[in-house]
Amino acid sequence: MAAIRQKLLGWYDDSARDLPWRETRDPYAIWVSEVMLQQTRVDTVIPYYQRFLETFPNPRALAEADEDAVLSRWSGLGYYRRARLLHAGVREVVAQYGGEVPEDPEARRGLPGVGRYTAGAIGSIAFDKEEPVVDGNVTRVLARLFRIDTPVGKTTTTRRLWEEAARLVPGERPGAFNQALMELGATVCTPKQPHCESCPVAAECEAFIHREVDAFPAQRARRPPKEVELSAVVATRGRGADRKVWLIKSEQPLFGGLWGVPMTEGGARSALREAGLQARLGSEPVGEVEHVLTHRRLRIAVYRASGVRGRETKRRRAFSADDLESVGISTLTRKLLTTALARSGP
Ligand code: SF4
């Protein structure tokens, strides 16, 4: 263990990438970065992280913002539930802890949206606590280092991974050590063709020693994503610069809280009806959009509708192009709007 620790820390000091969240020990900024980095690539996150902290530089600024403003800054990053949970967690920090992210691990883990991983990352990096972290990169590194042969995702595997991470973390600079593990997974111990020849811990790596790197981490059999067919309606009022597009605030868990075009599995007419709109609906779709989510592949027929009749409500509004810049809309909604509005409608 000591050799792994020492070699990884030395390697990290020499080779770590310069990333904006590595220049701070502010627990709030680290929290924001960790939430953004879940399921999103580093290159994508950097500009979002910087803009988000410019707009909401401290917990109070974020706690006081309304949800639309937060989602608008998150717009395009995906997995919007993360933004809403971060917002809720930070509001609790302001309400319960005077705006200071708590040092106590139990208090941190009690915050909305802060699981064991996020709590450990904040604790070790910001507060120098010997708290372990296990994310996708750490899972891969540890599964190979210790030849963990039970499939990823099983409870026994998860328990073992956290135990190994907890055995490794005690010692000097626990935050740097955790980041070294993650960095190794991101840059050297990659999912395909890992660079074992330049790995600082190859001599300690059981999978490498046994020439079995490709067998780890062990995977469960995967189910193919479910195919879902949907119809979406881009309903407009007015023309040219005066054109407004009708959006509804989604109640679907995946896009909850974001504005989106009316969409359903039941056909274009149902989508309009469910949204409470009457309009002249085009007889044929103007295009098709494919969108892949973690467990679902959406195939969406895109319709245009014009001459909309319907009143604005809290969950249904007509937006100009400028308005759209200031509200949270998903990447999928952007795709649907582009597909429909780039072509001539009915
Ligand atoms: Fe990963 Fe290869 Fe290093 Fe083992 S030797 S930790 S498999 S990069």
Side-chain angles (χ1 to χ4, degrees), residues 8-78:
L8 267 182
L9 271 176
W11 168 81
Y12 182 70
D13 289 342
D14 292 342
S15 341
R17 293 168 292 176
D18 282 335
L19 299 174
W21 44 88
R22 291 191 176 151
E23 290 160 15
T24 180
R25 301 286 295 270
D26 172 6
Y28 164 71
I30 289 162
W31 185 359
V32 171
S33 72
E34 289 300 338
V35 175
M36 287 188 169
L37 285 164
Q38 286 162 25
Q39 291 149 309
T40 308
R41 291 163 46 87
V42 165
D43 295 351
T44 309
V45 166
I46 292 173
Y48 281 91
Y49 168 81
Q50 288 165 330
R51 279 200 302 266
F52 197 89
L53 286 183
E54 274 164 28
T55 313
F56 312 114
N58 52 53
R60 278 191 197 283
L62 182 58
E64 284 163 12
D66 70 23
E67 190 174 86
D68 275 346
V70 177
L71 293 175
S72 147
R73 271 286 162 255
W74 205 274
S75 178
L77 258 185

Side-chain angles (χ1 to χ4, degrees), residues 141 144-145 184 188-189 194-196 199 201-202 205 208 213:
V141 172
R144 288 172 174 168
L145 270 176
L184 191 79
V188 176
C189 195
H195 308 285
C196 302
C199 176
V201 287
C205 176
F208 180 67
V213 170

Side-chain angles (χ1 to χ4, degrees), residues 15-346:
S15 341
R17 293 168 292 176
D18 282 335
L19 299 174
W21 44 88
R22 291 191 176 151
E23 290 160 15
T24 180
R25 301 286 295 270
D26 172 6
Y28 164 71
I30 289 162
W31 185 359
V32 171
S33 72
E34 289 300 338
V35 175
M36 287 188 169
L37 285 164
Q38 286 162 25
Q39 291 149 309
T40 308
R41 291 163 46 87
V42 165
D43 295 351
T44 309
V45 166
I46 292 173
Y48 281 91
Y49 168 81
Q50 288 165 330
R51 279 200 302 266
F52 197 89
L53 286 183
E54 274 164 28
T55 313
F56 312 114
N58 52 53
R60 278 191 197 283
L62 182 58
E64 284 163 12
D66 70 23
E67 190 174 86
D68 275 346
V70 177
L71 293 175
S72 147
R73 271 286 162 255
W74 205 274
S75 178
L77 258 185
Y79 301 98
Y80 296 92
R81 191 163 171 271
R82 296 180 304 179
R84 282 192 300 277
L85 285 170
L86 172 66
H87 196 201
V90 168
R91 282 187 161 166
E92 188 149 325
V93 162
V94 170
Q96 300 285 335
Y97 302 104
E100 302 286 334
V101 178
E103 273 200 58
D104 174 52
E106 292 307 314
R108 245 181 291 126
R109 270 186 233 157
L111 296 168
V114 177
R116 200 169 168 189
Y117 167 80
T118 309
I122 299 170
S124 60
I125 299 168
F127 300 126
D128 252 339
K129 302 237 179 217
E130 293 173 344
E131 294 179 43
V133 295
V134 176
D135 68 351
N137 284 324
V138 175
T139 293
R140 188 167 54 256
V141 172
L142 296 182
R144 288 172 174 168
L145 270 176
F146 301 114
R147 275 173 96 218
I148 298 174
D149 58 5
T150 52
V152 171
K154 279 193 89 171
T155 315
T156 45
T157 313
T158 306
R159 195 180 311 127
R160 169 92 193 271
L161 288 165
W162 280 97
E163 281 167 8
E164 298 294 358
R167 282 204 300 144
L168 281 166
V169 75
E172 54 161 342
R173 299 161 65 211
F177 175 74
N178 280 340
Q179 291 185 88
L181 263 183
M182 294 192 262
E183 185 79 350
L184 191 79
T187 61
V188 176
C189 195
T190 46
K192 290 191 185 134
Q193 297 172 338
H195 308 285
C196 302
E197 67 291 345
S198 53
C199 176
V201 287
E204 285 75 25
C205 176
E206 292 183 30
F208 180 67
I209 293 165
H210 288 85
R211 299 288 181 260
E212 285 180 351
V213 170
D214 290 346
F216 297 93
Q219 300 292 347
R220 279 207 247 225
R222 284 241 179 115
R223 276 199 226 137
K226 188 180 165 203
E227 301 263 347
V228 182
E229 300 214 341
L230 295 158
S231 301
V233 183
V234 175
T236 55
R237 161 174 105 187
R239 288 184 175 278
D242 293 331
R243 182 167 66 190
K244 290 194 169 190
V245 53
W246 284 83
L247 301 182
I248 54 170
K249 203 158 202 178
S250 169
E251 287 174 351
Q252 289 182 20
L254 268 175
F255 303 111
L258 292 180
W259 292 93
V261 303
M263 182 164 66
T264 177
E265 288 183 58
R269 247 172 233 299
S270 301
L272 274 179
R273 196 167 47 243
E274 285 170 20
L277 296 172
Q278 291 185 325
R280 284 194 307 278
L281 180 67
S283 54
E284 298 290 332
V286 294
E288 188 176 271
V289 164
E290 252 201 31
H291 193 70
V292 181
L293 301 164
T294 317
H295 301 296
R296 279 186 275 183
R297 183 189 301 276
L298 311 182
R299 199 182 299 280
I300 306 161
V302 186
Y303 290 79
R304 284 282 312 266
S306 58
V308 176
R309 273 177 292 145
R311 272 185 310 109
E312 293 200 341
T313 66
K314 247 173 98 178
R315 307 196 72 83
R316 184 174 68 213
R317 268 174 57 194
F319 290 87
S320 68
D322 284 348
D323 296 337
L324 286 175
E325 295 301 317
S326 60
V327 293
I329 62 173
S330 65
T331 306
L332 171 58
T333 299
R334 270 185 218 287
K335 271 199 230 171
L336 295 169
L337 292 176
T338 307
T339 302
L341 300 179
R343 303 165 201 220
S344 56

